[in-house]
Amino acid sequence: MATKAKPKSTPLTPGLQPYKEKKGEEAMSDERRANVTESLQTRKLEPADAGLALAIVGEVLRWQGRLDGLIDSVMQHPLADDAKVRMVLRMALAQKLRLGTPMHAIIATSLPLLDGGPKRLAHGVLSPLDKSGAVLPATPALPEAMM
């Protein structure tokens, strides 16, 4: 009996399949969580690192709208929603504002993700938000269009 070969992951795509959320479904289903966990395990991350990665993913998904609002508040020109730098900024802000990670650690781990890219832009967004003491509300809220 032949088994299906698992697709190989690349550094830019961690083997996660696109996920469309359906009405009434949790943000991350048990099956999806298992896929993310399996993907992290295939990268041979230490359990603490895998846990941190899952925490960052969860916070970015939960707070994406508010994080985007903070990012856009310091931008002169809007970033595309699918821009790599926007996702790196979301992850950095989620770590700072929700997980309490020190800014020097965030800069040291986030900017290498933009190797050959807009590092100055990312630093230019993170620095003013950090200095202004940006905060998120106590609980996330859905956009008005979804209510």
Side-chain angles (χ1 to χ4, degrees):
M1 184 187 263
T3 59
K4 291 183 180 179
K6 291 183 181 178
K8 290 186 178 180
S9 299
T10 65
L12 297 177
T13 55
L16 302 178
Q17 301 301 317
Y19 178 76
K20 294 189 177 182
E21 195 173 81
K22 296 177 185 170
K23 283 189 175 183
E25 192 171 37
E26 290 182 33
M28 188 180 284
S29 69
D30 290 339
E31 180 182 346
R32 181 71 176 146
R33 188 179 317 280
N35 289 342
V36 171
T37 303
E38 181 182 341
S39 177
L40 291 171
Q41 289 170 345
T42 60
R43 292 180 168 275
K44 302 203 183 333
L45 292 176
E46 294 294 324
D49 293 336
L52 176 61
L54 283 173
I56 293 168
V57 168
E59 294 300 327
V60 167
L61 291 173
R62 185 174 294 116
W63 292 94
Q64 184 172 334
R66 299 290 181 146
L67 294 172
D68 284 346
L70 287 172
I71 293 166
D72 293 341
S73 73
V74 295
M75 297 291 301
Q76 291 179 354
H77 303 287
L79 287 171
D81 287 338
D82 62 348
K84 181 178 181 179
V85 69
R86 182 179 288 276
M87 184 53 75
V88 170
L89 289 168
R90 286 173 182 154
M91 292 187 304
L93 288 172
Q95 289 177 77
K96 175 66 179 168
L97 301 175
R98 297 297 303 156
L99 302 177
T101 306
M103 188 54 79
H104 69 274
I106 294 168
I107 297 294
T109 56
S110 296
L111 295 186
L113 296 173
L114 297 172
D115 195 28
K119 290 182 182 182
R120 289 182 67 194
L121 171 67
H123 203 290
V125 170
L126 293 174
S127 183
L129 288 173
D130 184 42
K131 289 178 183 174
S132 71
V135 294
L136 291 171
T139 58
L142 291 173
E144 288 182 27
M146 295 187 75
M147 295 179 143

